[in-house]
Amino acid sequence: EDQVTQSPEALRLQEGESSSLNCSYTVSGLRGLFWYRQDPGKGPEFLFTLYSAGEEKEKERLKATLTKKESFLHITAPKPEDSATYLCAVGSGNTGKLIFGQGTTLQVKP
Amino acid sequence: NAGVTQTPKFQVLKTGQSMTLQCAQDMNHNSMYWYRQDPGMGLRLIYYSASEGTTDKGEVPNGYNVSRLNKREFSLRLESAAPSQTSVYFCASSSLDAQPQHFGDGTRLSIL
């Protein structure tokens, strides 16, 4: 069964305190791993797609990496505006659909 | 840059009432999706349309129907609303299956 688990559920950081969010997955035939950011009252906003183990993508203070079983979203020197819920999803080779994790809610305090 | 537009943004219904949630995208995407998002449950796929003229059930289709009106528009209908359908509903679109999906800002639906 295709499954995505994100940890931790919630993370509080001080401004400038780097950390990582984890996304573990089991899927039949990975067709991409997707990271989204979701602000309160808004829809998820697409950040990155990773397709193969070893691949990395960066955007500002965010860097996403992928292995065969998990992905990490590294946040370097975060700012309060990075506070949001971060969602991970995998594309299933069985169905072609995205399977979403429950998200990690990040709070960055000044 | 409208992207994906959903209407209405908020709605309160009584049990047994019906309503249609509207979604339109201006990115010329082939595939469109309806999700619901509940606390602790993540995003769950209700229905999707891989291309104009086709629709298929997702993970939680019971109590819902959909219509792919044309390439741009994909509507979700609740025929007889139940309190268990209180949720935030998101519409999304993508160029093809398993490609990045782009989301609207949701419809917050409460059923009393």
Side-chain angles (χ1 to χ4, degrees):
Chain A
E1 181 185 354
D2 299 334
Q3 192 168 4
V4 178
T5 303
Q6 291 187 245
S7 61
E9 289 186 15
L11 181 62
R12 287 186 176 183
L13 299 174
Q14 289 295 128
E15 184 172 3
E17 179 187 3
S18 301
S19 188
S20 297
L21 312 182
N22 178 262
C23 172
S24 298
Y25 63 90
T26 55
V27 67
S28 299
L30 180 68
R31 292 179 64 186
L33 186 137
F34 304 82
W35 282 100
Y36 288 84
R37 169 189 171 128
Q38 186 174 23
D39 293 301
K42 298 290 187 180
E45 175 188 353
F46 171 68
L47 293 172
F48 304 110
T49 308
L50 303 167
Y51 286 105
S52 56
E55 189 175 358
E56 299 181 351
K57 293 271 180 78
E58 286 189 66
K59 180 179 181 179
E60 297 181 356
R61 294 175 292 282
L62 301 177
K63 179 180 175 180
T65 62
L66 181 65
T67 72
K68 288 186 178 180
K69 293 187 176 182
E70 58 190 350
S71 176
F72 292 94
L73 184 65
H74 306 279
I75 304 176
T76 302
K79 297 182 178 181
E81 53 261 42
D82 294 321
S83 297
T85 296
Y86 292 86
L87 302 174
C88 167
V90 295
S92 168
N94 273 338
T95 66
K97 304 299 168 282
L98 299 192
I99 312 298
F100 282 84
Q102 294 184 6
T104 294
T105 299
L106 172 66
Q107 184 180 25
V108 181
K109 294 188 171 183
Chain B
N1 285 352
V4 178
T5 303
Q6 292 185 236
T7 55
K9 295 188 186 305
F10 302 93
Q11 185 71 47
V12 178
L13 294 179
K14 294 181 180 178
T15 297
Q17 287 185 318
S18 62
M19 81 162 294
T20 300
L21 308 185
Q22 306 287 353
C23 174
Q25 52 94 6
D26 63 2
M27 295 173 283
N28 200 35
H29 283 166
N30 292 304
S31 302
M32 297 186 73
Y33 311 84
W34 277 104
Y35 292 89
R36 59 179 290 174
Q37 187 175 42
D38 302 290
M41 301 293 290
L43 282 160
R44 292 183 292 168
L45 184 64
I46 304 171
Y47 269 94
Y48 65 96
S49 171
S51 61
E52 186 178 356
T54 69
T55 60
D56 280 293
K57 296 178 181 179
E59 181 185 354
V60 288
N62 291 347
Y64 306 96
N65 285 300
V66 291
S67 295
R68 183 76 182 265
L69 304 171
N70 49 55
K71 191 170 185 178
R72 291 186 63 247
E73 298 172 288
F74 188 37
S75 63
L76 178 72
R77 182 162 178 84
L78 286 71
E79 290 291 352
S80 179
S84 61
Q85 294 177 305
T86 293
S87 186
V88 182
Y89 291 85
F90 288 100
C91 177
S93 70
S94 64
S95 55
L96 293 170
D97 257 0
Q99 293 293 307
Q101 294 180 11
H102 299 269
F103 286 79
D105 279 339
T107 294
R108 282 140 190 87
L109 181 61
S110 293
I111 299 163
L112 307 177

